[in-house]
Amino acid sequence: MTTEKTMEPLWWGLFSAGGVVAAFLVPIHIILVGFAVPLGWTTDTGALYHIWWVKLYLFVLIVLPLYHWAHRFYFTLNDMGLKAISKLLAVLCYGGAIVGTFATAWILLKI
Amino acid sequence: MSAVRPDPSKLYHRKMPATWWLTNWSYFLFMLRELSSVFIAVFLVVYLCQIYQLSQGPDAYNAFTQKLSSLGWILFHLVALLFALYHSITWFQSSAVVLPLRIGERLISRSIVTALHVGAWAVVSVIVVVLFLALKS
Amino acid sequence: MAEPTITLNVTRYRPDKDRAPTTQTYVVPYREDWVVLDALNHIKDQMDGTLSYRWSCRMGVCGSCGMMVNGTPKLTCAAFLRDYYPQAIRVEPLVNFPIIRDLVIDMTDFMDKLKSVKPWIIRKEEKPVSEGEYLQTPAELEAFHQFTQCINCMLCYAACPVYGLEPKFLGPAAIALGYRYNMDSRDQGKDQREIIGNHDGIWDCTFVGECSVVCPKHVDPAAAIQRSKVDTTKNWFQSILMPWGQR
């Protein structure tokens, strides 16, 4: 296989994984975080976020869709006419996802 | 016999407009699908911010949750939910295209594969709610 | 009683005379069983012999008569007047290709791209004739058969916004053609079709999906491209994580 020339399979693989996570899990979490607790359908002290495997789950839930966003948004911005600054867009998008990865890990370890 | 190529200087090149995605319905829906990733990412960052508040003490966490009950945030989450659901359904439809599933020799139709994905999504969502209610206190 | 008519607004471009394309209006007889190609042939035979366009079989197998009909890429031999009547019909050359004259586009880029995927059986070892034919089970044939149906009509390239924005993109038909050979059990040349897995191959595609929507032969090039992405990605991760298992 001579696809070592391009790193695209890495980004596409992360994009795909993020897409699966987002598709199956994000809607219900929006309902819980955005409606259920704020509107008082249920209460939440955040205590469950201290459980180690919940932290692991949250890491996957938050980080993988960031790579999904990075890859998709990078291509979208290119397609909307910003191809001239393609390299800068790549740094901002994929770099943003990488920063998000470290930020998420740091926060989950901190709480 | 060698190929005769047209004179390049006489060819007329039509430029694709930057608003190409507004010219037809399919392209517009495609762009909405792509933009759903932005709303999903923003929501997850908001969620991360809420989780971060736990490191600042229980009052900080509750104050943040209070802020989320404002009209502005409710509207944001409503829009985000609609986009997230649009991502989910288009993702499940795409999965049916990418992964041809078979029972023995027979190919399963794409609408059935999509429906199976939706079913799995419903089951997973219920499991998340049950776990959340069981673990939150 | 006056014979019913329908209006066609047709792109004209004469490279020796025109700076840019213009639109010429023709009023042709409306017949229930006519397709847009019939109307164009009527114009050329009875009204304006200078109109230029490609056509051949008039039955949807040669792929010659692709044009934009009311903004959608279609085979004009398969676009019935009755589906548009009584509204006027806009007939334009296939988008995303340079115009040579009137409704005729330059397909050089398309032809080059088809060739670039090496669309023939590549063997590491040829079987001598004495050993007989390469045998295939029905299942092995089914794995690639749908992708053999392409008639090279280029509607998919006209429908693809990625190709419109990036002319270097290999494009739906070329990638589907390469996939057809990669999926053929007789072929052993996947590693020679690396153009598919490079930049401007499958990785430019954002799965808009319009290529498969407009394909008159239901080839489904979008499926070929996405499956190629999965394949290529699986192999890439395998080569990174298990480099010893290389064949």
Side-chain angles (χ1 to χ4, degrees):
Chain A
M1 265 307 108
T2 50
T3 45
E4 284 94 44
K5 294 182 212 175
T6 171
M7 294 290 282
E8 276 305 312
L10 171 67
W11 303 116
W12 190 84
L14 287 168
F15 154 82
S16 277
V20 173
V21 169
F24 280 105
L25 296 173
V26 166
I28 191 62
H29 280 282
I30 296 181
I31 291 176
L32 289 172
V33 171
F35 301 103
V37 177
L39 295 179
W41 304 346
T42 183
T43 58
D44 172 39
T45 57
L48 84 161
Y49 298 135
H50 296 299
I51 305 171
W52 71 267
W53 59 265
V54 173
K55 290 192 190 192
L56 204 52
Y57 170 83
L58 284 173
F59 184 75
V60 171
L61 173 69
I62 294 173
V63 166
L64 283 178
L66 287 180
Y67 288 96
H68 174 81
W69 160 81
H71 189 80
R72 217 164 213 180
F73 200 51
Y74 169 72
F75 276 85
T76 302
L77 290 175
N78 271 278
D79 287 349
M80 283 176 122
L82 295 176
K83 213 168 234 171
I85 51 164
S86 210
K87 294 224 156 64
L88 172 64
L89 294 174
V91 168
L92 290 175
C93 290
Y94 296 110
I98 293 172
V99 166
T101 307
F102 284 105
T104 306
W106 180 76
I107 290 173
L108 288 172
L109 290 170
K110 195 179 188 339
I111 60 168
Chain B
M1 179 171 134
S2 64
V4 176
R5 301 200 160 189
D7 179 357
S9 63
K10 298 263 183 59
L11 295 173
Y12 187 83
H13 296 262
R14 288 164 288 182
K15 186 115 207 292
M16 191 151 160
T19 52
W20 62 269
W21 52 278
L22 289 167
T23 58
N24 83 39
W25 189 234
S26 302
Y27 289 166
F28 182 65
L29 286 177
F30 161 74
M31 199 48 85
L32 284 185
R33 183 193 86 189
E34 302 297 279
L35 290 175
S36 70
S37 63
V38 174
F39 285 90
I40 289 170
V42 171
F43 162 72
L44 290 171
V45 168
V46 170
Y47 191 17
L48 187 62
C49 289
Q50 181 185 42
I51 294 169
Y52 172 73
Q53 298 306 317
L54 281 178
S55 71
Q56 311 294 91
D59 289 332
Y61 185 79
N62 289 327
F64 193 95
T65 308
Q66 262 298 103
K67 264 199 279 204
L68 291 182
S69 63
S70 73
L71 183 63
W73 279 112
I74 297 290
L75 284 176
F76 164 75
H77 282 109
L78 189 58
V79 172
L81 179 62
L82 291 172
F83 271 107
L85 288 171
Y86 190 57
H87 164 76
S88 297
I89 189 66
T90 53
W91 190 262
F92 298 151
Q93 288 171 327
S94 298
S95 304
V97 171
V98 179
L99 305 163
L101 289 182
R102 291 189 148 73
I103 295 188
E105 290 231 326
R106 285 253 307 276
L107 202 60
I108 308 180
S109 88
R110 285 189 183 165
S111 28
I112 295 190
V113 175
T114 305
L116 288 172
H117 277 87
V118 173
W121 166 79
V123 169
V124 165
S125 299
V126 168
I127 294 176
V128 168
V129 172
V130 166
L131 284 174
F132 172 76
L133 292 173
L135 293 171
K136 67 187 178 75
S137 18
Chain C
M1 179 167 117
E3 207 191 57
T5 59
I6 188 169
T7 301
L8 262 65
N9 295 313
V10 182
T11 301
R12 300 304 307 271
Y13 173 66
R14 283 141 294 207
D16 47 336
K17 291 214 303 259
D18 300 331
R19 285 277 211 77
T22 56
T23 303
Q24 188 160 348
T25 302
Y26 301 96
V27 179
V28 302
Y30 167 72
R31 302 258 157 82
E32 196 84 42
D33 55 337
W34 269 16
V35 289
V36 173
L37 180 60
D38 291 320
L40 292 174
N41 281 335
H42 176 87
I43 294 170
K44 187 152 179 99
D45 292 343
Q46 314 282 346
M47 299 168 72
D48 182 356
T50 67
L51 180 62
S52 301
Y53 52 98
R54 288 194 179 108
W55 68 287
S56 185
C57 75
R58 89 257 184 283
M59 59 184 205
V61 296
C62 73
S64 304
C65 69
M67 298 175 217
M68 307 301 285
V69 180
N70 281 3
T72 302
K74 280 192 132 82
L75 296 181
T76 49
C77 66
F80 284 86
L81 296 185
R82 61 178 183 251
D83 291 334
Y84 303 91
Y85 183 78
Q87 315 302 342
I89 304 177
R90 207 169 72 240
V91 185
E92 297 159 302
L94 279 184
V95 293
N96 303 337
F97 291 99
I99 309 176
I100 298 176
R101 183 197 165 91
D102 293 343
L103 298 163
V104 179
I105 49 88
D106 176 22
M107 47 192 285
T108 316
D109 184 50
F110 175 74
M111 299 303 283
D112 289 341
K113 286 179 171 154
L114 285 185
K115 273 184 268 189
S116 71
V117 303
K118 304 197 181 152
W120 48 81
I121 299 284
I122 296 173
R123 299 283 303 178
K124 291 200 172 15
E125 278 165 32
E126 293 289 344
K127 216 160 84 153
V129 175
S130 53
E131 274 182 40
E133 319 92 320
Y134 294 110
L135 296 179
Q136 266 181 339
T137 64
E140 283 172 332
L141 175 60
E142 210 211 312
F144 69 94
H145 181 259
Q146 140 193 17
F147 306 103
T148 65
Q149 302 300 294
C150 176
I151 60 174
N152 297 353
C153 66
M154 296 172 285
L155 299 193
C156 55
Y157 284 71
C160 177
V162 177
Y163 181 63
L165 291 162
E166 177 50 85
K168 293 203 291 244
F169 176 41
L170 242 195
I175 299 175
L177 183 62
Y179 186 73
R180 169 254 177 281
Y181 281 95
N182 285 342
M183 294 303 285
D184 190 326
S185 54
R186 299 167 293 180
D187 179 83
Q188 297 170 328
K190 196 183 249 186
D191 50 356
Q192 294 204 36
R193 299 193 183 94
E194 23 174 79
I195 191 172
I196 294 173
N198 287 349
H199 280 303
D200 294 325
I202 50 179
W203 302 117
D204 272 0
C205 168
T206 52
F207 201 175
V208 177
E210 277 303 284
C211 53
S212 292
V213 170
V214 301
C215 177
K217 309 311 274 182
H218 311 294
V219 171
D220 202 355
I225 299 174
Q226 309 322 308
R227 291 180 200 166
S228 296
K229 287 181 189 173
V230 173
D231 257 345
T232 309
T233 301
K234 257 200 269 183
N235 289 331
W236 188 89
F237 275 99
Q238 269 173 352
S239 73
I240 298 285
L241 299 171
M242 299 181 296
W244 51 87
Q246 287 295 281
R247 236 188 296 134

